[in-house]
mmCIF file of all heavy atoms in Angstrom:
data_model
loop_
_atom_site.group_PDB
_atom_site.id
_atom_site.type_symbol
_atom_site.label_atom_id
_atom_site.label_comp_id
_atom_site.label_asym_id
_atom_site.label_seq_id
_atom_site.Cartn_x
_atom_site.Cartn_y
_atom_site.Cartn_z
ATOM 1 N N SER A 1 155.718 194.014 -33.908
ATOM 2 C CA SER A 1 154.943 195.220 -33.779
ATOM 3 C C SER A 1 154.325 195.209 -32.419
ATOM 4 O O SER A 1 153.755 194.305 -31.953
ATOM 5 C CB SER A 1 153.827 195.194 -34.856
ATOM 6 O OG SER A 1 152.897 196.182 -34.513
ATOM 7 N N LEU A 2 154.550 196.294 -31.700
ATOM 8 C CA LEU A 2 154.062 196.398 -30.197
ATOM 9 C C LEU A 2 152.526 196.653 -30.333
ATOM 10 O O LEU A 2 151.855 196.330 -29.370
ATOM 11 C CB LEU A 2 154.642 197.623 -29.548
ATOM 12 C CG LEU A 2 156.214 197.458 -29.210
ATOM 13 C CD1 LEU A 2 156.686 198.612 -28.452
ATOM 14 C CD2 LEU A 2 156.483 196.091 -28.523
ATOM 15 N N GLU A 3 152.019 197.211 -31.454
ATOM 16 C CA GLU A 3 150.609 197.408 -31.519
ATOM 17 C C GLU A 3 149.759 196.122 -31.745
ATOM 18 O O GLU A 3 148.784 195.949 -31.146
ATOM 19 C CB GLU A 3 150.320 198.405 -32.702
ATOM 20 C CG GLU A 3 148.909 198.798 -32.906
ATOM 21 C CD GLU A 3 148.648 199.796 -33.969
ATOM 22 O OE1 GLU A 3 149.731 200.320 -34.519
ATOM 23 O OE2 GLU A 3 147.589 200.071 -34.357
ATOM 24 N N SER A 4 150.268 195.307 -32.676
ATOM 25 C CA SER A 4 149.603 194.067 -32.992
ATOM 26 C C SER A 4 150.055 192.881 -32.175
ATOM 27 O O SER A 4 149.349 191.863 -32.052
ATOM 28 C CB SER A 4 149.693 193.771 -34.516
ATOM 29 O OG SER A 4 151.021 193.436 -34.858
ATOM 30 N N GLY A 5 151.315 192.982 -31.553
ATOM 31 C CA GLY A 5 151.859 191.856 -30.917
ATOM 32 C C GLY A 5 152.328 190.724 -31.752
ATOM 33 O O GLY A 5 152.429 189.539 -31.335
ATOM 34 N N ARG A 6 152.566 191.013 -33.059
ATOM 35 C CA ARG A 6 153.003 189.916 -34.008
ATOM 36 C C ARG A 6 154.289 190.318 -34.675
ATOM 37 O O ARG A 6 154.666 191.455 -34.784
ATOM 38 C CB ARG A 6 151.854 189.815 -35.048
ATOM 39 C CG ARG A 6 150.522 189.313 -34.449
ATOM 40 C CD ARG A 6 149.453 189.182 -35.485
ATOM 41 N NE ARG A 6 148.191 188.706 -34.983
ATOM 42 C CZ ARG A 6 147.093 188.511 -35.739
ATOM 43 N NH1 ARG A 6 147.151 188.788 -37.024
ATOM 44 N NH2 ARG A 6 146.027 188.109 -35.192
ATOM 45 N N ILE A 7 154.863 189.296 -35.287
ATOM 46 C CA ILE A 7 156.028 189.446 -36.120
ATOM 47 C C ILE A 7 155.597 189.999 -37.488
ATOM 48 O O ILE A 7 154.716 189.462 -38.201
ATOM 49 C CB ILE A 7 156.795 188.101 -36.256
ATOM 50 C CG1 ILE A 7 157.300 187.592 -34.962
ATOM 51 C CG2 ILE A 7 157.964 188.314 -37.277
ATOM 52 C CD1 ILE A 7 157.864 186.179 -35.001
ATOM 53 N N ILE A 8 156.227 191.084 -37.901
ATOM 54 C CA ILE A 8 155.903 191.705 -39.134
ATOM 55 C C ILE A 8 156.987 191.454 -40.235
ATOM 56 O O ILE A 8 156.810 191.578 -41.414
ATOM 57 C CB ILE A 8 155.613 193.204 -39.121
ATOM 58 C CG1 ILE A 8 156.862 193.857 -38.502
ATOM 59 C CG2 ILE A 8 154.425 193.416 -38.202
ATOM 60 C CD1 ILE A 8 156.663 195.396 -38.569
ATOM 61 N N SER A 9 158.160 191.056 -39.780
ATOM 62 C CA SER A 9 159.286 190.702 -40.783
ATOM 63 C C SER A 9 160.311 189.858 -40.037
ATOM 64 O O SER A 9 160.500 190.036 -38.809
ATOM 65 C CB SER A 9 159.907 191.908 -41.450
ATOM 66 O OG SER A 9 160.501 192.759 -40.471
ATOM 67 N N GLU A 10 161.033 189.057 -40.755
ATOM 68 C CA GLU A 10 162.181 188.343 -40.217
ATOM 69 C C GLU A 10 163.265 188.017 -41.233
ATOM 70 O O GLU A 10 162.903 188.092 -42.469
ATOM 71 C CB GLU A 10 161.638 187.028 -39.605
ATOM 72 C CG GLU A 10 161.030 186.057 -40.569
ATOM 73 C CD GLU A 10 160.482 184.866 -39.848
ATOM 74 O OE1 GLU A 10 160.614 184.782 -38.573
ATOM 75 O OE2 GLU A 10 159.938 183.950 -40.518
ATOM 76 N N MET A 11 164.444 187.800 -40.824
ATOM 77 C CA MET A 11 165.552 187.593 -41.775
ATOM 78 C C MET A 11 166.696 186.843 -41.044
ATOM 79 O O MET A 11 166.983 187.021 -39.858
ATOM 80 C CB MET A 11 166.057 188.922 -42.234
ATOM 81 C CG MET A 11 167.328 188.865 -43.085
ATOM 82 S SD MET A 11 167.867 190.565 -43.576
ATOM 83 C CE MET A 11 166.398 191.028 -44.454
ATOM 84 N N ASN A 12 167.275 185.876 -41.882
ATOM 85 C CA ASN A 12 168.439 185.153 -41.410
ATOM 86 C C ASN A 12 169.701 185.771 -41.968
ATOM 87 O O ASN A 12 169.810 186.034 -43.166
ATOM 88 C CB ASN A 12 168.312 183.671 -41.801
ATOM 89 C CG ASN A 12 167.779 182.819 -40.787
ATOM 90 O OD1 ASN A 12 168.290 182.875 -39.535
ATOM 91 N ND2 ASN A 12 166.746 182.076 -40.994
ATOM 92 N N VAL A 13 170.686 186.011 -41.115
ATOM 93 C CA VAL A 13 171.962 186.443 -41.573
ATOM 94 C C VAL A 13 173.035 185.497 -41.161
ATOM 95 O O VAL A 13 173.124 185.018 -39.907
ATOM 96 C CB VAL A 13 172.238 187.876 -40.927
ATOM 97 C CG1 VAL A 13 173.630 188.364 -41.351
ATOM 98 C CG2 VAL A 13 171.185 188.838 -41.386
ATOM 99 N N ALA A 14 174.021 185.185 -42.055
ATOM 100 C CA ALA A 14 174.982 184.223 -41.807
ATOM 101 C C ALA A 14 175.978 184.789 -40.771
ATOM 102 O O ALA A 14 176.287 185.855 -40.726
ATOM 103 C CB ALA A 14 175.775 183.823 -43.092
ATOM 104 N N GLY A 15 176.387 183.873 -39.866
ATOM 105 C CA GLY A 15 177.383 184.225 -38.906
ATOM 106 C C GLY A 15 176.843 184.911 -37.659
ATOM 107 O O GLY A 15 175.552 185.098 -37.495
ATOM 108 N N ILE A 16 177.762 185.426 -36.864
ATOM 109 C CA ILE A 16 177.378 186.252 -35.669
ATOM 110 C C ILE A 16 177.856 187.689 -35.805
ATOM 111 O O ILE A 16 179.078 187.973 -35.831
ATOM 112 C CB ILE A 16 178.045 185.634 -34.379
ATOM 113 C CG1 ILE A 16 177.611 184.163 -34.258
ATOM 114 C CG2 ILE A 16 177.664 186.481 -33.117
ATOM 115 C CD1 ILE A 16 178.304 183.484 -33.093
ATOM 116 N N PRO A 17 176.946 188.590 -36.017
ATOM 117 C CA PRO A 17 177.337 189.984 -36.282
ATOM 118 C C PRO A 17 178.038 190.663 -35.046
ATOM 119 O O PRO A 17 177.797 190.386 -33.872
ATOM 120 C CB PRO A 17 175.980 190.651 -36.437
ATOM 121 C CG PRO A 17 175.013 189.639 -36.851
ATOM 122 C CD PRO A 17 175.414 188.370 -36.018
ATOM 123 N N ALA A 18 178.964 191.525 -35.427
ATOM 124 C CA ALA A 18 179.627 192.227 -34.367
ATOM 125 C C ALA A 18 178.879 193.441 -33.841
ATOM 126 O O ALA A 18 178.810 193.729 -32.644
ATOM 127 C CB ALA A 18 181.032 192.730 -34.783
ATOM 128 N N LEU A 19 178.166 194.084 -34.872
ATOM 129 C CA LEU A 19 177.358 195.315 -34.490
ATOM 130 C C LEU A 19 176.057 195.218 -35.342
ATOM 131 O O LEU A 19 176.061 194.732 -36.497
ATOM 132 C CB LEU A 19 178.184 196.575 -34.860
ATOM 133 C CG LEU A 19 179.479 196.844 -34.105
ATOM 134 C CD1 LEU A 19 180.180 197.958 -34.777
ATOM 135 C CD2 LEU A 19 179.237 197.194 -32.738
ATOM 136 N N VAL A 20 175.038 195.827 -34.767
ATOM 137 C CA VAL A 20 173.694 195.809 -35.333
ATOM 138 C C VAL A 20 173.113 197.246 -35.212
ATOM 139 O O VAL A 20 173.254 197.831 -34.215
ATOM 140 C CB VAL A 20 172.778 194.784 -34.762
ATOM 141 C CG1 VAL A 20 171.403 194.926 -35.333
ATOM 142 C CG2 VAL A 20 173.300 193.392 -34.985
ATOM 143 N N SER A 21 172.461 197.693 -36.257
ATOM 144 C CA SER A 21 171.677 198.996 -36.232
ATOM 145 C C SER A 21 170.452 198.898 -36.991
ATOM 146 O O SER A 21 170.358 198.236 -38.087
ATOM 147 C CB SER A 21 172.543 200.165 -36.760
ATOM 148 O OG SER A 21 171.859 201.355 -36.695
ATOM 149 N N ILE A 22 169.311 199.471 -36.545
ATOM 150 C CA ILE A 22 168.111 199.611 -37.279
ATOM 151 C C ILE A 22 167.684 201.062 -37.464
ATOM 152 O O ILE A 22 168.177 201.959 -36.751
ATOM 153 C CB ILE A 22 166.922 198.784 -36.631
ATOM 154 C CG1 ILE A 22 166.760 199.387 -35.146
ATOM 155 C CG2 ILE A 22 167.184 197.324 -36.592
ATOM 156 C CD1 ILE A 22 165.622 198.801 -34.450
ATOM 157 N N ASP A 23 166.890 201.313 -38.470
ATOM 158 C CA ASP A 23 166.393 202.637 -38.667
ATOM 159 C C ASP A 23 165.268 202.974 -37.701
ATOM 160 O O ASP A 23 164.834 202.127 -36.963
ATOM 161 C CB ASP A 23 166.118 202.980 -40.120
ATOM 162 C CG ASP A 23 165.019 202.085 -40.685
ATOM 163 O OD1 ASP A 23 164.457 201.320 -39.917
ATOM 164 O OD2 ASP A 23 164.752 202.148 -41.967
ATOM 165 N N ALA A 24 164.668 204.085 -37.814
ATOM 166 C CA ALA A 24 163.590 204.542 -36.943
ATOM 167 C C ALA A 24 162.460 203.649 -36.917
ATOM 168 O O ALA A 24 161.809 203.393 -35.840
ATOM 169 C CB ALA A 24 163.171 205.969 -37.192
ATOM 170 N N SER A 25 161.998 203.056 -38.028
ATOM 171 C CA SER A 25 160.823 202.202 -38.100
ATOM 172 C C SER A 25 161.160 200.716 -38.085
ATOM 173 O O SER A 25 160.328 199.874 -38.378
ATOM 174 C CB SER A 25 159.967 202.648 -39.287
ATOM 175 O OG SER A 25 160.679 202.441 -40.449
ATOM 176 N N ALA A 26 162.437 200.419 -37.937
ATOM 177 C CA ALA A 26 162.917 198.997 -37.989
ATOM 178 C C ALA A 26 162.680 198.339 -39.355
ATOM 179 O O ALA A 26 162.340 197.143 -39.448
ATOM 180 C CB ALA A 26 162.233 198.151 -36.948
ATOM 181 N N SER A 27 162.699 199.205 -40.414
ATOM 182 C CA SER A 27 162.536 198.609 -41.801
ATOM 183 C C SER A 27 163.790 198.313 -42.500
ATOM 184 O O SER A 27 163.820 197.662 -43.543
ATOM 185 C CB SER A 27 161.641 199.593 -42.636
ATOM 186 O OG SER A 27 162.279 200.893 -42.693
ATOM 187 N N HIS A 28 164.897 198.873 -41.892
ATOM 188 C CA HIS A 28 166.182 198.663 -42.532
ATOM 189 C C HIS A 28 167.180 198.071 -41.385
ATOM 190 O O HIS A 28 167.062 198.537 -40.272
ATOM 191 C CB HIS A 28 166.876 199.826 -43.118
ATOM 192 C CG HIS A 28 166.202 200.358 -44.369
ATOM 193 N ND1 HIS A 28 165.052 201.097 -44.299
ATOM 194 C CD2 HIS A 28 166.499 200.130 -45.660
ATOM 195 C CE1 HIS A 28 164.653 201.409 -45.573
ATOM 196 N NE2 HIS A 28 165.494 200.817 -46.377
ATOM 197 N N LEU A 29 168.052 197.157 -41.729
ATOM 198 C CA LEU A 29 168.932 196.525 -40.852
ATOM 199 C C LEU A 29 170.346 196.667 -41.379
ATOM 200 O O LEU A 29 170.591 196.334 -42.502
ATOM 201 C CB LEU A 29 168.626 195.031 -40.677
ATOM 202 C CG LEU A 29 169.524 194.182 -39.879
ATOM 203 C CD1 LEU A 29 169.447 194.472 -38.376
ATOM 204 C CD2 LEU A 29 169.340 192.724 -40.121
ATOM 205 N N ALA A 30 171.276 197.063 -40.568
ATOM 206 C CA ALA A 30 172.698 197.139 -40.799
ATOM 207 C C ALA A 30 173.410 196.227 -39.880
ATOM 208 O O ALA A 30 173.198 196.350 -38.679
ATOM 209 C CB ALA A 30 173.173 198.647 -40.768
ATOM 210 N N VAL A 31 174.286 195.434 -40.456
ATOM 211 C CA VAL A 31 175.051 194.521 -39.646
ATOM 212 C C VAL A 31 176.542 194.577 -40.011
ATOM 213 O O VAL A 31 176.950 194.648 -41.191
ATOM 214 C CB VAL A 31 174.573 193.036 -40.030
ATOM 215 C CG1 VAL A 31 175.491 192.050 -39.371
ATOM 216 C CG2 VAL A 31 173.154 192.894 -39.480
ATOM 217 N N ALA A 32 177.405 194.772 -38.937
ATOM 218 C CA ALA A 32 178.842 194.767 -39.166
ATOM 219 C C ALA A 32 179.380 193.453 -38.727
ATOM 220 O O ALA A 32 179.214 193.027 -37.591
ATOM 221 C CB ALA A 32 179.488 195.928 -38.358
ATOM 222 N N ASP A 33 180.065 192.749 -39.712
ATOM 223 C CA ASP A 33 180.704 191.484 -39.353
ATOM 224 C C ASP A 33 182.155 191.724 -38.919
ATOM 225 O O ASP A 33 182.562 192.873 -38.904
ATOM 226 C CB ASP A 33 180.695 190.544 -40.572
ATOM 227 C CG ASP A 33 179.248 190.100 -40.824
ATOM 228 O OD1 ASP A 33 178.493 189.959 -39.963
ATOM 229 O OD2 ASP A 33 178.986 189.909 -42.119
ATOM 230 N N PHE A 34 182.831 190.723 -38.695
ATOM 231 C CA PHE A 34 184.197 190.820 -38.221
ATOM 232 C C PHE A 34 185.190 190.873 -39.418
ATOM 233 O O PHE A 34 186.428 190.787 -39.235
ATOM 234 C CB PHE A 34 184.673 189.659 -37.271
ATOM 235 C CG PHE A 34 183.898 189.765 -35.969
ATOM 236 C CD1 PHE A 34 182.761 188.997 -35.781
ATOM 237 C CD2 PHE A 34 184.397 190.541 -34.902
ATOM 238 C CE1 PHE A 34 182.088 189.077 -34.507
ATOM 239 C CE2 PHE A 34 183.731 190.620 -33.730
ATOM 240 C CZ PHE A 34 182.572 189.897 -33.554
ATOM 241 N N ASP A 35 184.721 191.041 -40.587
ATOM 242 C CA ASP A 35 185.566 191.182 -41.851
ATOM 243 C C ASP A 35 185.670 192.574 -42.337
ATOM 244 O O ASP A 35 185.910 192.819 -43.494
ATOM 245 C CB ASP A 35 185.004 190.286 -42.987
ATOM 246 C CG ASP A 35 183.471 190.689 -43.309
ATOM 247 O OD1 ASP A 35 182.983 191.509 -42.675
ATOM 248 O OD2 ASP A 35 183.000 190.000 -44.238
ATOM 249 N N ARG A 36 185.337 193.513 -41.392
ATOM 250 C CA ARG A 36 185.505 195.000 -41.728
ATOM 251 C C ARG A 36 184.530 195.444 -42.834
ATOM 252 O O ARG A 36 184.670 196.421 -43.435
ATOM 253 C CB ARG A 36 186.956 195.414 -42.183
ATOM 254 C CG ARG A 36 187.969 195.073 -41.071
ATOM 255 C CD ARG A 36 189.390 195.449 -41.658
ATOM 256 N NE ARG A 36 189.742 194.709 -42.797
ATOM 257 C CZ ARG A 36 190.794 194.906 -43.448
ATOM 258 N NH1 ARG A 36 191.710 195.894 -43.123
ATOM 259 N NH2 ARG A 36 191.139 194.138 -44.520
ATOM 260 N N ALA A 37 183.429 194.746 -42.876
ATOM 261 C CA ALA A 37 182.371 195.170 -43.818
ATOM 262 C C ALA A 37 181.004 195.302 -43.068
ATOM 263 O O ALA A 37 180.761 194.679 -42.066
ATOM 264 C CB ALA A 37 182.178 194.038 -44.913
ATOM 265 N N VAL A 38 180.190 196.236 -43.649
ATOM 266 C CA VAL A 38 178.894 196.590 -43.152
ATOM 267 C C VAL A 38 177.906 196.294 -44.259
ATOM 268 O O VAL A 38 178.056 196.753 -45.381
ATOM 269 C CB VAL A 38 178.720 197.992 -42.696
ATOM 270 C CG1 VAL A 38 177.292 198.297 -42.242
ATOM 271 C CG2 VAL A 38 179.683 198.405 -41.662
ATOM 272 N N ARG A 39 176.933 195.429 -43.957
ATOM 273 C CA ARG A 39 175.898 195.067 -44.978
ATOM 274 C C ARG A 39 174.616 195.593 -44.515
ATOM 275 O O ARG A 39 174.210 195.587 -43.326
ATOM 276 C CB ARG A 39 175.952 193.545 -45.092
ATOM 277 C CG ARG A 39 177.122 192.956 -45.681
ATOM 278 C CD ARG A 39 177.167 191.512 -45.654
ATOM 279 N NE ARG A 39 178.447 191.007 -46.148
ATOM 280 C CZ ARG A 39 179.635 190.808 -45.440
ATOM 281 N NH1 ARG A 39 179.557 191.055 -44.099
ATOM 282 N NH2 ARG A 39 180.731 190.326 -46.027
ATOM 283 N N VAL A 40 173.643 196.051 -45.420
ATOM 284 C CA VAL A 40 172.463 196.701 -45.187
ATOM 285 C C VAL A 40 171.362 195.983 -45.974
ATOM 286 O O VAL A 40 171.530 195.653 -47.152
ATOM 287 C CB VAL A 40 172.514 198.234 -45.559
ATOM 288 C CG1 VAL A 40 171.139 198.850 -45.230
ATOM 289 C CG2 VAL A 40 173.557 198.934 -44.846
ATOM 290 N N TRP A 41 170.233 195.657 -45.274
ATOM 291 C CA TRP A 41 169.087 195.031 -45.897
ATOM 292 C C TRP A 41 167.837 195.770 -45.688
ATOM 293 O O TRP A 41 167.730 196.560 -44.727
ATOM 294 C CB TRP A 41 168.870 193.654 -45.248
ATOM 295 C CG TRP A 41 169.830 192.548 -45.717
ATOM 296 C CD1 TRP A 41 169.733 191.679 -46.721
ATOM 297 C CD2 TRP A 41 170.990 192.211 -44.969
ATOM 298 N NE1 TRP A 41 170.855 190.777 -46.727
ATOM 299 C CE2 TRP A 41 171.607 191.179 -45.665
ATOM 300 C CE3 TRP A 41 171.667 192.715 -43.836
ATOM 301 C CZ2 TRP A 41 172.817 190.512 -45.247
ATOM 302 C CZ3 TRP A 41 172.863 192.184 -43.397
ATOM 303 C CH2 TRP A 41 173.429 191.055 -44.088
ATOM 304 N N ASN A 42 166.908 195.601 -46.580
ATOM 305 C CA ASN A 42 165.442 196.095 -46.339
ATOM 306 C C ASN A 42 164.793 194.911 -45.604
ATOM 307 O O ASN A 42 164.571 193.908 -46.133
ATOM 308 C CB ASN A 42 164.824 196.422 -47.677
ATOM 309 C CG ASN A 42 163.425 196.986 -47.496
ATOM 310 O OD1 ASN A 42 162.626 196.567 -46.607
ATOM 311 N ND2 ASN A 42 163.139 197.970 -48.299
ATOM 312 N N MET A 43 164.395 195.163 -44.385
ATOM 313 C CA MET A 43 163.776 194.053 -43.579
ATOM 314 C C MET A 43 162.399 193.685 -44.110
ATOM 315 O O MET A 43 161.963 192.623 -43.866
ATOM 316 C CB MET A 43 163.684 194.523 -42.069
ATOM 317 C CG MET A 43 164.974 194.558 -41.260
ATOM 318 S SD MET A 43 165.574 192.866 -40.853
ATOM 319 C CE MET A 43 164.344 192.434 -39.635
#
């Protein structure tokens, strides 16, 4: 959070993602691996 200067959420994902995307408030995370799959989490 830029306002508080603190970590508000964290997550470990296996492997090295090929692509990453977050929504407008960084509450959802989408990761594309090299297996042609995209996985989505609630951060």
